[in-house]
Amino acid sequence: MDITNHADTRLSRSDLQFSTARILVAMTATCVLLAIDMPPILGFPSWYFILAVILSILFNDWGARSARAGIAAFHRGDTSEAIRLLTKAINARRDYPERYYFRALAYCTRGQIQSALEDLTRVIEIEPLSWAAYDARGAVCLLEYDYSNALQDFSRAIELGSDNPGPVVGRSIAQFKTGDHISAFVEIERCLVDFPDCIDALCTHAWFLSTCPVDSRRDGQLALKLSMKARKLDGEEYWSCESSLSAALAEMGDFEEAIKHGERALTLAPIPRHHDLETRLATLKTRQPLRDGNKSKHTMQIRDGGGAESSV
């Protein structure tokens, strides 16, 4: 995440660096205390106050160690521990956006969408010019079928100068979901001109071509070509590649292979994506191609699901 204004640079330091720095500062303060005969402060010996500073330096890192451990826990997949540690870090210092950001990712992974939205909103409050924060919140809005707010967040991310394809892909998905298919196709095609090897863009374009409810917009052969390219680039280990390939094969009438790749997508996908993938798989087993109609948070029950992917 591109958070620059308030980033906690101590997160990149090792525990040894923390300990060494604190000890050196404490030793320096002690030497000053011993060398200087300072007058009392508020009627108390000066060394009372200096000792308090020394102890603070020695034993308080203001949550940076917990934040670093929490981020490490998230990366190894222990979201429960990540949330615990990052919450501890946030309670120690509430002005570092990356702590909220990684806790939001952990909440998403566990399906706690509202908590993730609250944390990402807090990131934006701390650092309002972070395109990545808007991009992440837009992706979470997609999970809630809240396409209006997703559009706003992705548009803001793009306005803030992102040269990353993520917000463009996300905005095209929100447009597609709201029935603005022309804008969605224009957006994703333009994205692929600028980023021809972007896997999410390839998968998203393939999905549009396979599932668009407008007959004239579908092209199973091109969808299959794009899906195969994405799959080759990714090494066949990304659920979105398998899902888009499944949709393309169904559009071509090859339901046996479509089901096979749909099942593989379900195996690879994070848990919060399982509901949608299971629904798609059930449709394929009736030998029907997939059609992506409009869904919104107002017309469909919101599930407890999460994950900050922007793929369809």
Side-chain angles (χ1 to χ4, degrees):
M1 186 172 187
D2 182 22
I3 297 175
T4 56
N5 295 337
H6 295 79
D8 185 356
T9 56
R10 292 173 301 169
L11 291 177
S12 63
R13 302 174 190 171
S14 68
D15 287 340
L16 177 60
Q17 287 175 307
F18 267 118
S19 300
T20 301
R22 287 199 299 273
I23 291 170
L24 288 175
V25 172
M27 289 175 62
T28 301
T30 301
C31 291
V32 171
L33 174 63
L34 294 174
I36 299 177
D37 184 18
M38 298 180 64
I41 300 175
L42 298 177
F44 295 94
S46 301
W47 66 267
Y48 280 15
F49 298 94
I50 297 178
L51 180 61
V53 172
I54 293 171
L55 292 174
S56 176
I57 293 171
L58 282 173
F59 299 108
N60 190 356
D61 64 8
W62 295 279
R65 184 174 295 181
S66 295
R68 194 167 63 256
I71 293 170
F74 170 76
H75 285 307
R76 67 173 182 265
D78 189 350
T79 54
S80 177
E81 180 68 359
I83 291 170
R84 185 188 71 80
L85 289 166
L86 288 166
T87 299
K88 180 179 179 181
I90 288 168
N91 289 337
R93 285 292 298 268
R94 297 181 178 274
D95 56 347
Y96 287 124
E98 69 276 7
R99 301 180 185 187
Y100 292 94
Y101 176 72
F102 280 99
R103 190 173 70 171
L105 295 186
Y107 278 137
C108 262
T109 303
R110 296 176 65 83
Q112 297 172 253
I113 298 300
Q114 191 56 45
S115 295
L117 284 172
E118 291 172 2
D119 273 358
L120 289 170
T121 298
R122 180 61 181 143
V123 173
I124 291 170
E125 290 172 354
I126 297 171
E127 190 160 299
L129 299 183
S130 171
W131 71 266
Y134 285 99
D135 181 42
R137 194 172 68 174
V140 177
C141 286
L142 286 181
L143 293 169
E144 275 211 307
Y145 312 110
D146 185 359
Y147 303 126
S148 175
N149 282 322
L151 274 170
Q152 292 180 31
D153 279 345
F154 288 129
S155 296
R156 182 61 176 151
I158 294 169
E159 288 172 6
L160 287 171
S162 167
D163 57 356
N164 188 295
V168 181
V169 173
R171 187 165 70 176
S172 74
I173 294 172
Q175 291 166 336
F176 189 84
K177 296 288 189 179
T178 56
D180 188 1
H181 302 114
I182 293 176
S183 296
F185 274 97
V186 169
E187 191 99 67
I188 201 65
E189 288 166 1
R190 185 183 299 135
C191 182
L192 282 170
V193 170
D194 295 332
F195 304 95
D197 291 333
C198 174
I199 294 170
D200 279 334
L202 289 166
C203 292
T204 298
H205 194 193
W207 181 263
F208 291 174
L209 290 165
S210 300
T211 68
C212 185
V214 180
D215 292 347
S216 61
R217 289 281 175 180
R218 292 197 302 278
D219 186 339
Q221 285 190 328
L222 179 55
L224 186 61
K225 179 180 178 181
L226 293 172
S227 296
M228 292 300 292
K229 178 180 178 180
R231 195 166 181 261
K232 183 177 180 180
L233 286 170
D234 193 62
E236 305 180 13
E237 292 300 324
Y238 186 23
W239 69 269
S240 190
C241 293
E242 296 297 300
S243 182
S244 65
L245 179 57
S246 175
L249 289 165
E251 181 63 18
M252 297 290 289
D254 189 349
F255 290 101
E256 294 302 320
E257 284 296 306
I259 291 170
K260 173 183 172 182
H261 289 283
E263 290 174 340
R264 178 164 169 74
L266 184 58
T267 300
L268 294 172
I271 291 175
R273 303 301 310 219
H274 284 191
H275 179 85
D276 282 340
L277 293 174
E278 288 168 351
T279 301
R280 297 171 189 176
L281 194 56
T283 299
L284 293 176
K285 289 180 178 179
T286 65
R287 303 188 71 79
Q288 297 181 61
L290 302 176
R291 295 290 177 265
D292 199 333
N294 295 350
K295 301 174 184 176
S296 75
K297 67 184 298 184
H298 305 294
T299 61
M300 187 171 184
Q301 181 180 0
I302 298 173
R303 305 182 316 281
D304 284 334
E309 300 88 358
S310 58
S311 300
V312 176

